[in-house]
Amino acid sequence: MDFLKIEIKEMKFKTIHYIALIFLVILVMAPFTPLSARLPFLYLTLFWIVFVGSFNIITGFTGYVPFGQVMFLGAGSYAAVLSIVKLGISPYIAIIIGGLASMALAFIIGYPTLRLRGAYFSIATIALNEALKVIIYNAPEEITGGPMGVTLPTELFEPIICYYLMLSLAVITVLITYFIANSKFGMGLMAIREDEDAAAVLGVNAHKLKLMAFMISALIAGMAGSIHAWRTMYIEAVSEFEIHKTVIGLAMLMFGGAGTVTGPILGATILYTIEDYFWAQFPFAHMIIVGLIIIVVVLFVPQGLVGWLRQKMPKMKELLF
Amino acid sequence: MIAWETLAQVLINGLITGGIYGLIALGLSIIFGVMRVINIAHGDFMMLGAYTSYWLFVYSGGLINPFISLIISVPLGFIVGVAIYWILVNRVVEAPELMSLLLMFGVSTFIANMALWAWTAYYRGIPYTLPSISIGSIVIPLCRLLAFILAIAITFGLYVLFTKTYIGKAVRAVSQNRLAASLMGIDVVKIFAFSFGLGAAIAFAAGSLITMSVERAFDPYIGGHYTLLSFCIAVLGGLGSMRGALIGGLIIGLIESFTGGLFIPVSLVPAIYFAIMYLVLLFKPTGLMGR
């Protein structure tokens, strides 16, 4: 595991670290302050930060886009909920199970398709997502709940605990992204993104690295799905595997800046806030605008908000990134 | 034991479906073969084609049936494709594959939701039927047969286009070697625009035909399903290969009618697409006809 070694540079505390710390303190204290009225909003923002962060680890660093990324949320939630309901396992352990199930799925789908160019991988993940959806939907009700879905027993309802779990997962995701961005592993991934053939010639084991990044990404998404299932207390195949979540997550990632540490946080927070306050009133316009955001960002600012800021304000870079 | 009549019926259904599936995958394969762009919005173009036929049928009071509306939907598809190429795709065609993939994903989301906004989520179907032909106990609906014949005719027309005409030969030259083609005096950007238009026109045609044969009901979100289906067929046959798309279409059509009709519920068919795609990618990623 030599390539996982992280080169610890002199850790200078920059302004961004203090800002992050202040936000973290606010988020930790939130349930005990007037902010607690907006706890569901904060919780969902954190959920999106985690999901977009998991997307970032595979898409941002390697340049491969799993259009079916939502399946890891779905698979995680089903693995967790079924192990709680059928096996009577504690929800905390079920979250781990959900993450591991998604990770196993990522291995199965990633192993053959990550050898090929991006497009095969992207569409094969959509296909697996659809396959999982119809299999779970059509399976006998005793096993997966079928079209009826599965409900968790009401005595498990713990919104505050779920909030803290999602907050911890968000922090872990950001830290993992930070370490990847500054490790030899991350360098390998970025080399793959820039020029896979050149990277392979220089001795980067592209297939192995991509697969590892994909599995880490799936692990995080699977755990997020499990926590979210616990929070909502109910899962159902069609909405768990709804491709819209991928589209929205992708728009957030592209908007914030793929392949950066702060990009997914900014993208998820800004777009989810706008969605919560404004777009929710116009459900049709919402997805149209999400599509437009993807098109505009790809054409005009492929580096995203953070990349754009870095370019336009080099002084901010010293301060912030 | 399954009676031979049932088998013959399933076989004919599969072949008819497969012919149209081949046409669907052809559009995707041409665009990929020429410019290495995966058109994620392929299914959404089909959806637009289906709606074109639907509105023509409704507003003409049933005069323009879906077979006649091909005369309008095919050129319309070509125009839409060329426009999307000039406005959007041309900017990313030289960029890494990721960019065009993301761009077309955005286009697909945009088209599907615009359609949803404009035409609502109602399932629509074109209330146009023709009588069926019966041979013994085998029944062939005339609509499906006609759609199949038209699909084969369009495919044959494309074959002639690619082998006999200047522009068709130019498209093949560009797909074989972009640089060499441009050195021979072929305007590569124009050929790209033409191919993208051609791919979209095929999608529109397939959309019009599919309302008459395979899936008679459609809604604005049907596109995702067809993008997946056409990718699965194209991968099976070999992405970028015309013959591969046809053979892949026939195989998938047959598999679908044999399994979906006889052994498993129809709603599980997407799982079969996935299983096929997975096995092909695992063992022979270049597909059956791939180089």
Side-chain angles (χ1 to χ4, degrees):
Chain A
M1 289 286 156
D2 181 49
F3 62 93
L4 279 179
K5 241 183 246 165
I6 295 154
E7 288 170 41
I8 305 280
K9 287 173 249 168
E10 42 193 306
M11 275 280 282
K12 264 192 305 185
F13 262 83
K14 296 180 188 167
T15 320
I16 185 79
H17 297 120
Y18 291 111
I19 297 175
L21 217 58
I22 292 168
F23 267 103
L24 189 60
V25 170
I26 294 175
L27 286 171
V28 170
M29 300 303 290
F32 310 106
T33 62
L35 266 178
S36 62
R38 296 290 288 153
L39 212 56
F41 167 76
L42 290 178
Y43 166 80
L44 281 172
T45 310
L46 289 170
F47 169 76
W48 281 111
I49 289 175
V50 173
F51 182 54
V52 176
S54 81
F55 223 139
N56 187 33
I57 290 171
I58 177 75
T59 303
F61 290 106
T62 69
Y64 281 68
V65 204
F67 286 141
Q69 179 80 358
V70 62
M71 74 180 151
F72 299 127
L73 292 176
S77 69
Y78 263 92
V81 167
L82 291 179
S83 55
I84 294 172
V85 174
K86 308 283 173 189
L87 306 175
I89 288 171
S90 136
Y92 298 98
I93 298 168
I95 291 168
I96 310 279
I97 294 177
L100 292 177
S102 286
M103 203 165 143
L105 202 59
F107 178 80
I108 294 170
I109 181 70
Y111 185 76
T113 54
L114 280 171
R115 288 180 188 284
L116 310 164
R117 290 295 169 178
Y120 289 92
F121 170 71
S122 299
I123 300 194
T125 56
I126 305 189
L128 179 58
N129 182 49
E130 294 302 308
L132 282 176
K133 188 200 303 186
V134 296
I135 288 170
I136 291 177
Y137 190 84
N138 284 291
E141 266 178 41
E142 308 84 71
I143 303 174
T144 63
M148 302 296 293
V150 191
T151 311
L152 284 173
T154 40
E155 64 267 20
L156 287 176
F157 188 58
E158 296 280 8
I160 306 275
I161 289 181
C162 289
Y163 172 80
Y164 279 117
L165 284 172
M166 197 57 95
L167 179 59
S168 331
L169 190 57
V171 172
I172 292 169
T173 309
V174 173
L175 289 178
I176 288 178
T177 314
Y178 182 84
F179 284 125
I180 288 180
N182 293 292
S183 67
K184 206 176 161 193
F185 175 56
M187 293 287 267
L189 294 180
M190 285 183 269
I192 292 168
R193 180 184 66 196
E194 298 309 329
D195 189 336
E196 189 160 343
D197 296 327
V201 169
L202 291 176
V204 174
N205 187 343
H207 183 239
K208 186 173 161 191
L209 258 60
K210 283 183 286 185
L211 197 56
M212 284 191 66
F214 191 39
M215 284 165 71
I216 296 172
S217 161
L219 177 69
I220 294 171
M223 287 172 76
S226 313
I227 299 172
H228 195 54
W230 187 11
R231 176 69 177 73
T232 50
M233 303 293 286
Y234 171 71
I235 54 170
E236 178 266 325
V238 175
S239 62
E240 289 302 314
F241 293 94
E242 174 68 72
I243 198 94
H244 278 179
K245 284 184 195 156
T246 304
V247 185
I248 294 172
L250 195 57
M252 287 171 171
L253 177 65
M254 298 299 295
F255 181 81
T260 61
V261 181
T262 38
I265 307 174
L266 285 178
T269 311
I270 295 173
L271 288 194
Y272 185 69
T273 309
I274 298 174
E275 178 183 329
D276 190 62
Y277 280 96
F278 177 63
W279 293 347
Q281 298 166 24
F282 308 99
F284 290 133
H286 178 194
M287 289 309 289
I288 296 174
I289 293 170
V290 168
L292 272 182
I293 288 175
I294 296 178
I295 297 173
V296 168
V297 170
V298 168
L299 287 184
F300 300 109
V301 263
Q303 69 277 44
L305 183 64
V306 169
W308 184 79
L309 282 175
R310 277 182 189 170
Q311 234 173 28
K312 293 288 164 190
M313 303 176 196
K315 275 183 189 159
M316 291 266 286
K317 193 180 171 184
E318 276 303 298
L319 207 65
L320 288 179
F321 304 109
Chain B
M1 188 62 211
I2 303 156
W4 75 269
E5 284 99 342
T6 322
L7 276 182
Q9 178 78 60
V10 169
L11 189 71
I12 287 173
N13 287 352
L15 284 176
I16 289 181
T17 310
I20 296 165
Y21 279 4
L23 183 66
I24 297 172
L26 208 53
L28 191 83
S29 238
I30 288 174
I31 293 178
F32 180 81
V34 175
M35 62 193 91
R36 305 279 134 184
V37 168
I38 293 284
N39 182 11
I40 306 276
H42 190 66
D44 300 284
F45 288 158
M46 282 183 62
M47 180 272 294
L48 290 179
Y51 270 94
T52 307
S53 288
Y54 176 79
W55 292 119
L56 284 172
F57 187 81
V58 169
Y59 282 117
S60 68
L63 264 179
I64 303 179
N65 69 42
F67 300 115
I68 304 174
S69 65
L70 279 182
I71 299 166
I72 295 162
S73 78
V74 169
L76 187 67
F78 187 78
I79 293 166
V80 168
V82 171
I84 288 183
Y85 180 82
W86 277 121
I87 299 169
L88 302 172
V89 185
N90 196 26
R91 296 164 193 267
V92 293
V93 79
E94 300 291 344
E97 204 177 58
L98 168 73
M99 286 293 135
S100 58
L101 207 60
L102 284 172
L103 177 73
M104 291 319 290
F105 195 59
V107 171
S108 160
T109 307
F110 181 74
I111 292 178
N113 288 286
M114 279 301 264
L116 186 70
W117 180 55
W119 301 324
T120 73
Y122 281 126
Y123 267 100
R124 316 232 186 208
I126 301 176
Y128 177 77
T129 44
L130 292 169
S132 299
I133 309 169
S134 311
I135 308 163
S137 62
I138 300 166
V139 181
I140 308 169
L142 198 57
C143 267
R144 299 191 58 164
L145 189 65
L146 258 179
F148 172 74
I149 292 169
L150 275 171
I152 296 297
I154 293 171
T155 311
F156 183 73
L158 286 169
Y159 176 77
V160 173
L161 179 82
F162 281 124
T163 48
K164 303 281 182 230
T165 63
Y166 171 77
I167 190 143
K169 286 177 187 165
V171 168
R172 277 166 54 218
V174 171
S175 76
Q176 276 165 16
N177 191 332
R178 198 177 292 184
L179 181 64
S182 74
L183 290 175
M184 296 300 130
I186 295 171
D187 187 340
V188 173
V189 175
K190 262 187 199 153
I191 293 298
F192 279 178
F194 174 77
S195 321
F196 206 87
L198 200 62
I202 294 170
F204 268 62
S208 296
L209 290 179
I210 216 112
T211 60
M212 282 290 89
S213 63
V214 183
E215 185 118 27
R216 299 191 64 106
F218 51 91
D219 72 352
Y221 275 168
I222 198 84
H225 168 76
Y226 283 118
T227 302
L228 205 56
L229 171 67
S230 42
F231 189 80
C232 173
I233 296 168
V235 163
L236 175 63
L239 206 51
S241 148
M242 272 185 79
R243 238 183 317 162
L246 275 185
I247 294 171
L250 287 175
I251 294 175
I252 298 276
L254 284 173
I255 290 177
E256 202 182 289
S257 85
F258 270 97
T259 53
L262 296 177
F263 302 116
I264 62 161
V266 179
S267 51
L268 264 178
V269 165
I272 294 186
Y273 299 160
F274 170 73
I276 294 168
M277 195 194 292
Y278 189 81
L279 291 177
V280 172
L281 290 181
L282 194 58
F283 294 112
K284 195 169 187 311
T286 48
L288 295 176
M289 293 283 139
R291 278 158 286 174

